[in-house]
Amino acid sequence: MTPEQIGKVMHVEFAIGSTHMAAGDAFASAEVNTDIKLMIHMDSEAKALHAIAALAQGGTILTPLRPHPEPDDAGCGSITKDRFGFTWIITCPNPAKQ
């Protein structure tokens, strides 16, 4: 462990209600760092699309919701940068694989 890593979180996963989220710290800066990515696992395509639309207000959809490539094709994912500059990865089950 380097001195910059002390007090940082390498990876954390938590739930807010039935929504599962994951996050981690960047080690290079003590300032606000928008280079981090936040991930939310939604339980349906409709919920994922709603979250993506909300995050894209004033932001940018970098990757639209689409199936993950094989062999992990049971899920879908999207990447959106919100209006504050944070990057969000939204995932959900692949409806074609259910």
Side-chain angles (χ1 to χ4, degrees):
M1 179 176 287
T2 66
E4 294 82 20
Q5 293 172 322
I6 295 172
K8 299 285 185 170
V9 176
M10 181 177 183
H11 179 85
V12 63
E13 189 167 337
F14 53 95
I16 299 174
S18 63
T19 300
H20 295 271
M21 296 184 67
D25 269 332
F27 299 129
S29 175
E31 297 178 20
V32 174
N33 184 347
T34 59
D35 291 338
I36 63 169
K37 293 178 178 69
L38 302 163
M39 181 180 289
I40 303 176
H41 308 287
M42 307 304 280
D43 60 8
S44 73
E45 181 182 35
K47 289 180 182 177
L49 290 169
H50 178 75
I52 293 162
L55 290 167
Q57 291 180 3
T60 305
I61 296 174
L62 302 175
T63 305
L65 189 66
R66 62 183 178 208
H68 295 154
E70 290 186 14
D72 183 25
D73 62 349
C76 293
S78 173
I79 302 173
T80 302
K81 189 168 285 236
D82 70 18
R83 64 184 176 168
F84 303 106
F86 290 97
T87 302
W88 294 82
I89 301 168
I90 307 297
T91 66
C92 69
N94 183 344
K97 300 289 182 168
Q98 294 180 348

